[in-house]
Amino acid sequence: MEDNSGLSSRGLFLMIETLFTQALGLVAPWQVAEVIFKPESGRIDFQVRFGAANHACPACGAAAQPLHDRLARSWR
């Protein structure tokens, strides 16, 4: 499916994800994975994905630390 911009729906979806990733200041391996606009409630919900299985500890810098906290959270 294409809109009048000539973008496919997949292309538009990737553009929106990229926009939110940049607007939030996320850098790899973080990225916005899904954006859902809910006009009836005035909300924009999005999912943030961490694209790595291991990462350096942000506190001490220890390398290859496994991820353990993947709870859904809400911010206002």
Side-chain angles (χ1 to χ4, degrees), residues 29-70:
W30 295 97
Q31 70 183 57
V32 172
E34 181 180 13
V35 178
I36 302 167
F37 176 53
K38 298 178 179 179
E40 66 282 351
S41 60
R43 291 178 55 121
I44 299 174
D45 293 333
F46 55 91
Q47 300 289 322
V48 176
R49 179 183 321 144
F50 187 79
N54 293 303
H55 192 61
C57 175
C60 71
Q65 298 301 303
L67 300 180
H68 57 84
D69 185 1
R70 294 185 182 224

